[in-house]
Amino acid sequence: MRATYIYGAGDVRVITAPDPTLVEGTDAIVRITRACVCGSDLHPFHSMKADADGRPIGHEFIGTVEEIGNDVTSLTVGDFVIAPFSFSDGTCVFCVEGLQTSCIHGGFWGGGGVTGGQAEAVRVPYADGTLVKVPGTVDESQYAGLLSLSDVYGTGWHAAHQARITAGQTVTVIGDGAVGLLAVLSAKQMGAERIILMGRHTARTDLGRAFGATDVVAERGEEGIEKVRELTGGAGSHAVLEAVGFMPAYEQALGVVRAGGVISRVGVPQYEDAPVGRRSLFGKNVTLTGGVAPVRAYIEKLLPAVLDGTVNPGLVFDQTVKLEQTPEGYISMDERTALKVMVDPT
Amino acid sequence: MRATYIYGAGDVRVITAPDPTLVEGTDAIVRITRACVCGSDLHPFHSMKADADGRPIGHEFIGTVEEIGNDVTSLTVGDFVIAPFSFSDGTCVFCVEGLQTSCIHGGFWGGGGVTGGQAEAVRVPYADGTLVKVPGTVDESQYAGLLSLSDVYGTGWHAAHQARITAGQTVTVIGDGAVGLLAVLSAKQMGAERIILMGRHTARTDLGRAFGATDVVAERGEEGIEKVRELTGGAGSHAVLEAVGFMPAYEQALGVVRAGGVISRVGVPQYEDAPVGRRSLFGKNVTLTGGVAPVRAYIEKLLPAVLDGTVNPGLVFDQTVKLEQTPEGYISMDERTALKVMVDPT
């Protein structure tokens, strides 16, 4: 099959790789209908050390079950499925609690003998625990929405969910990437009254407004903080959803959060240490939450409104490339000429 | 009147200071029945730069209302009252939300023209908002329990409350000071099934067992973490209540917290930066919460069980000194010959 591998910073190639085969009885082989490029794929695209062997990449996909192992009970060949960005057994203590990203037997696509999603097909470990079957017949117009459930919508939802947003609150979202915009949508669905989106790309913030943002703040740093404080009567925001992952975004979150409020992070932190003491979190009783989103926990819940068109999270996809053009998709994402690039391996 | 002032590290003196007088119509003058020395008083006792003027100290007290300003409506001369460790107007947006430590007009004892609690009397700003009247007649046997509501019990409760402890959970408490022990009591009241107390002073951990600790781990650092992990079947603790404030305690909390769990801090952090990235909080979806406890929010709720003897938080007081001996009380606390020292200015 053809599959995308990364060999180092800036070096993404589509190569011929072995077809995936069943290894464990709990595996399934999925023929991929659509995949996509993630903002987090840009981290190795920026900084991965050169590796002559390369490694498979891509962790978001939808597709059709092509083969199942003997121990798979909930899926049938031909089922249309959504894969979350990590696989999980569905039965361990963490899976049962809805924290599938901490699954005792789970892992991430593209490592440990499991290949990536930007490919024609993939072996899915723990298929019963990992995959979610989409009921009914799926047509192409639904692909974008379903694919968003693989990562970005569930991740945006996780940010809002962990912040425990309640009706009437003021929420600030930092970052106008796909996750930030879907955090706006999620906050809106949870009843946030005022949603301030901090982002500077008009095409993106316009989509943010369509998803429910009531205000857009293009300024960054101290100036941006000042703007949000003005908009909140000086008090700050009950919840801050941080969908970037760089230190300036964390500092911005500290600046705009209300005393007693919550900073919920879903942008993978590109730092380890950060201010948490008396002058930052402690003195104001600010809660810091979030993490690697267990999107598997949210797919069934979010799916009906996607299928019936109540929400349209698939609008974050603004470019589609064929599998062979995946490297160009990375460049579009990196240069921000695309918000989110869908990959069509069919 | 006689009052305690601190002049620098190790230099606590009881001096003759002006009698407090009403300044604002919302003030009350309280004649102090009992005060005490707090673990956090030891921070300036260790490190305060010498100051020839000194500053009043002490932030926990119970007493009798001696005089009220014209605008005080809920209190009468002669009322027996509990003062929380910060004063607050009771009407601002943060007070209404139960975050009185962020009161717009509030502040802390011993600064800005407000004197301290280790004294014969004190002017209480915003008396209606700050003080809680104890119903009925109070006798001396109740002083310790009531005084614990001024800070340590409410602070321990805040740790557990912010961790949102629910029935059946495993909770680890780091620190066997008064706040840690009362965090044990609070966790027990909230239904925690297993309460692991990390502390090494047997007299204190024995009291912790009396308050509800099911296990005591005397080891620290990696060894202590290993012990707690063993006790929790390798998974770690749903909630970790950190009542120390030094970096090793934070690191211990990171080591024992379960994926998806909560670290709730009430020990004032003696650091500003700490690990919060992928390897510490983010990868495991650990929530970091807590802060300067708004004990005022909890006094009414906790008071009935203290008055009727259902709980006995006053057991943390194991030494009483007369006001003139307050400096010796600091030494007892510092040398850990006392768990918590009560001060009797009568």
Side-chain angles (χ1 to χ4, degrees), chain A residues 93 97 99 102 158 164 258-260 265 268-269 272-280 282 285 287-292, chain B residues 93 97 99 102 158 164 258-260 265 268-269 272-280 282 285 287-292:
Chain A
V93 61
E97 289 177 10
L99 192 65
S102 290
H158 186 59
R164 301 187 193 230
R258 181 187 177 89
R265 296 178 301 167
V268 182
E272 189 58 39
D273 285 14
V276 300
R278 188 154 190 168
R279 294 194 302 278
S280 46
F282 191 89
N285 272 281
T287 295
L288 178 64
T289 189
V292 183
Chain B
V93 62
E97 289 176 9
L99 192 66
S102 290
H158 186 59
R164 301 186 193 232
R258 181 187 176 89
R265 296 178 300 166
V268 181
E272 189 57 41
D273 285 13
V276 299
R278 187 153 191 169
R279 295 193 302 278
S280 46
F282 191 88
N285 271 282
T287 295
L288 178 65
T289 190
V292 183

Side-chain angles (χ1 to χ4, degrees), chain B residues 67-82:
Chain B
E67 212 179 330
I68 55 173
N70 292 329
D71 303 327
V72 174
T73 59
S74 65
L75 297 163
T76 311
V77 170
D79 284 348
F80 196 94
V81 291
I82 302 167

Side-chain angles (χ1 to χ4, degrees), chain A residues 200-248:
Chain A
R200 55 201 301 173
H201 303 87
T202 315
R204 299 178 176 197
T205 55
D206 284 351
L207 181 53
R209 287 188 194 272
F211 282 152
T214 53
D215 303 86
V216 169
V217 171
E219 292 82 357
R220 292 180 175 184
E222 277 308 314
E223 211 183 338
I225 290 168
E226 204 45 55
K227 273 268 167 108
V228 174
R229 295 230 148 244
E230 269 169 38
L231 288 170
T232 55
S237 189
H238 295 103
V240 183
L241 313 183
E242 197 280 84
V244 177
F246 291 104
M247 182 50 79

Side-chain angles (χ1 to χ4, degrees), chain A residues 25 45 47 72 91 99 124 190 198 246 256 267 317 324 329 345:
Chain A
F45 187 73
S47 61
V72 174
T91 56
L99 192 65
V124 175
M190 292 179 195
M198 300 188 82
F246 291 104
V256 303
F317 291 101
E324 295 300 325

Side-chain angles (χ1 to χ4, degrees), chain B:
Chain B
M1 67 164 181
R2 299 289 286 170
T4 310
Y5 276 59
I6 184 164
Y7 291 83
D11 189 2
V12 174
R13 308 178 207 164
V14 180
I15 63 161
T16 298
D19 287 331
T21 55
L22 295 173
V23 177
E24 306 287 342
T26 48
D27 288 347
I29 304 300
V30 169
R31 176 71 39 188
I32 296 174
T33 304
R34 290 291 184 276
C36 50
V37 183
C38 186
S40 68
D41 291 332
L42 296 180
H43 294 313
F45 186 73
H46 288 147
S47 62
M48 182 178 156
K49 265 178 59 177
D51 174 355
D53 295 333
R55 58 176 174 80
I57 191 164
H59 56 258
E60 302 156 284
F61 58 91
I62 53 176
T64 306
V65 175
E66 193 167 77
E67 212 179 330
I68 55 173
N70 292 329
D71 303 327
V72 174
T73 59
S74 65
L75 297 163
T76 311
V77 170
D79 284 348
F80 196 94
V81 291
I82 302 167
F85 71 77
S86 65
F87 56 85
S88 50
D89 65 17
T91 56
C92 82
V93 62
F94 293 110
C95 284
V96 168
E97 289 176 9
L99 192 66
Q100 288 88 343
T101 41
S102 290
C103 173
I104 290 168
H105 301 110
F108 296 89
W109 309 104
V114 178
T115 55
Q118 292 158 9
E120 289 184 278
V122 65
R123 175 175 74 90
V124 176
Y126 305 103
D128 284 325
T130 303
L131 299 171
V132 177
K133 179 184 169 171
V134 180
T137 315
V138 176
D139 73 57
E140 193 171 341
S141 69
Q142 296 174 302
Y143 289 169
L146 297 176
L147 186 56
S148 76
L149 290 168
S150 190
D151 182 346
V152 285
Y153 186 17
T155 297
W157 183 269
H158 186 59
H161 178 265
Q162 289 298 98
R164 301 186 193 232
I165 289 172
T166 52
Q169 285 190 324
T170 294
V171 176
T172 299
V173 176
I174 299 177
D176 58 10
V179 171
L181 298 181
L182 291 168
V184 168
L185 176 64
S186 301
K188 175 76 178 172
Q189 288 180 273
M190 291 180 196
E193 189 174 297
R194 185 162 205 175
I195 303 174
I196 303 166
L197 173 60
M198 301 189 82
R200 56 201 301 173
H201 303 86
T202 315
R204 298 178 178 198
T205 56
D206 284 350
L207 181 54
R209 288 188 194 273
F211 282 152
T214 53
D215 303 86
V216 169
V217 171
E219 292 83 356
R220 292 181 176 184
E222 277 309 315
E223 211 183 338
I225 289 168
E226 204 46 56
K227 273 268 167 109
V228 174
R229 295 229 149 244
E230 268 169 37
L231 289 171
T232 56
S237 189
H238 294 104
V240 183
L241 312 184
E242 197 281 83
V244 176
F246 291 105
M247 181 52 79
Y250 182 82
E251 289 166 344
Q252 217 158 284
L254 289 177
V256 303
V257 69
R258 181 187 176 89
V262 181
I263 297 171
S264 184
R265 296 178 300 166
V266 288
V268 181
Q270 302 303 303
Y271 50 84
E272 189 57 41
D273 285 13
V276 299
R278 187 153 191 169
R279 295 193 302 278
S280 46
L281 300 182
F282 191 88
K284 286 167 72 179
N285 271 282
V286 170
T287 295
L288 178 65
T289 190
V292 183
V295 298
R296 179 62 183 81
Y298 307 128
I299 297 176
E300 281 107 334
K301 182 187 171 68
L302 300 177
L303 183 56
V306 173
L307 287 175
D308 72 17
T310 306
V311 292
N312 199 351
L315 290 173
V316 296
F317 292 101
D318 58 352
Q319 189 179 319
T320 300
V321 295
K322 295 296 286 184
L323 179 59
E324 296 300 324
Q325 275 70 54
T326 304
E328 292 155 45
Y330 275 74
I331 292 166
S332 299
M333 293 273 291
D334 189 39
E335 293 179 347
R336 293 176 182 257
T337 55
L339 170 55
K340 191 159 177 76
V341 174
M342 195 184 289
V343 174
D344 175 4
T346 63

